[in-house]
Amino acid sequence: MTLPLWPAGSTSASPEFDTLRDRLVADDNLREELEAALRANVNRIDPTDRANRFGSGAAVEWIIAATAYQCGILSVPGGHNADGFDLQALRDQVRGLWSVKNTTKASGFRLTNGMSGAGRGFTEAVILLSPALPGLTFAHPDAHPDIAAAVQHKDDHTLLPLRAALRHAEEHPECVAPIRMPVNPKTGRDDPWMDYVKSLLEPLGFPRLSKLFVDATPAPRSLAGEIVELAKLRDDGILTEAQFDAAVARVTQQ
């Protein structure tokens, strides 16, 4: 990866983002872990589905929060020696630093949504994520009037065109924390809302409504049944004796 260069001492206008950027440049393992987490998210949840987009976007927020925590940007309520702490309070800290706008295709960014209007508009710091950008890209409406001037106010949302974000990243490398953003492969099958409802409708509290999810859960396979199936594969010549012995050893050790 070619890392962006910026003049010594230059700042994105956010000391916290500067810290995040510098750590991701200096720590290959952290950068690779962040990239892997973003890739795992889009591989599991296809944000093409509008309902899934909210769940996928919330996951990206938490992934960035976890990265910021690893960089020491967030302070733990009660101090770092606290035995457990309120994660939601930590999320509120992150939202005080920036909002996160994520797209897994080459498209513009909806900064805000509104009803009968464009919403609040570009009024707060933002981190932009897109496979078209060279990395996490920070922008602030007060510090970066060039990108603020490019925002478009639509009937029901505020849009930052992709070309404006690309130009901002190119002209302000100090605002870029280099990572590779994944493209949506459109193979994700997880449904975060179904998983949530399944956890909500647990059988003890909802014995009738939970039946849908209980009936859809496959019965656990018995060890004896698996060995019988393996023996049939051996007898049919699909497995050799050595492969059969190895397979039996594997299932009995699980």
Side-chain angles (χ1 to χ4, degrees):
M1 173 184 288
T2 301
L3 301 181
L5 299 176
W6 49 85
S10 61
T11 177
S12 65
S14 166
E16 294 82 6
F17 184 82
D18 291 347
T19 298
L20 178 66
R21 175 200 66 200
D22 293 345
R23 278 292 304 275
L24 288 171
V25 169
D27 190 337
D28 291 344
N29 291 328
L30 178 61
R31 186 174 67 249
E32 290 167 4
E33 201 168 309
L34 170 57
E35 292 172 348
L38 294 170
R39 190 164 56 249
N41 180 48
V42 78
N43 284 342
R44 290 187 58 176
I45 303 174
D46 181 3
T48 302
D49 184 292
R50 187 172 183 179
N52 283 350
R53 201 172 303 151
F54 295 103
S56 176
V60 171
E61 281 190 48
W62 278 112
I63 291 168
I64 298 299
T67 307
Y69 179 74
Q70 178 62 27
C71 295
I73 294 169
L74 304 180
S75 57
V76 174
H80 280 276
N81 292 325
D83 184 15
F85 51 85
D86 184 359
L87 276 170
Q88 199 61 48
L90 224 58
R91 188 182 196 184
D92 291 341
Q93 281 188 47
V94 175
R95 288 180 166 176
L97 296 174
W98 50 60
S99 64
V100 176
K101 303 301 177 184
N102 170 55
T103 177
T104 55
K105 60 182 180 179
S107 66
F109 299 87
R110 278 187 176 233
L111 298 180
T112 57
N113 293 305
M115 295 183 66
S116 301
R120 296 192 314 276
F122 186 22
T123 59
E124 60 184 5
V126 64
I127 289 181
L128 307 170
L129 291 85
S130 166
L133 291 171
L136 307 181
T137 302
F138 177 84
H140 193 289
D142 297 331
H144 306 114
D146 52 341
I147 196 170
V151 169
Q152 300 174 1
H153 298 273
K154 305 293 186 179
D155 290 341
D156 62 350
H157 67 280
T158 302
L159 177 71
L160 174 64
L162 177 60
R163 63 180 178 275
L166 288 168
R167 184 172 63 248
H168 176 73
E170 181 179 354
E171 295 177 354
H172 297 275
E174 72 278 6
C175 293
V176 178
I179 68 163
R180 295 185 183 92
M181 268 291 293
V183 176
N184 179 15
K186 299 184 179 180
T187 56
R189 293 291 179 267
D190 282 18
D191 182 339
W193 305 116
M194 182 190 71
D195 294 339
Y196 164 69
V197 173
K198 182 178 179 180
S199 69
L200 181 72
L201 300 181
E202 44 81 29
L204 185 62
F206 301 91
R208 297 165 186 80
L209 298 183
S210 64
K211 189 173 187 301
L212 168 68
F213 300 100
V214 172
D215 289 353
T217 303
R221 301 179 65 184
S222 68
L223 177 60
E226 290 196 45
I227 294 176
V228 168
E229 289 183 16
L230 290 171
K232 186 175 187 308
L233 293 174
R234 178 200 58 193
D235 296 342
D236 290 344
I238 297 174
L239 294 179
T240 66
E241 193 67 39
Q243 290 171 331
F244 169 74
D245 291 340
V248 170
R250 224 172 16 248
V251 298
T252 54
Q253 290 171 7
Q254 290 177 353

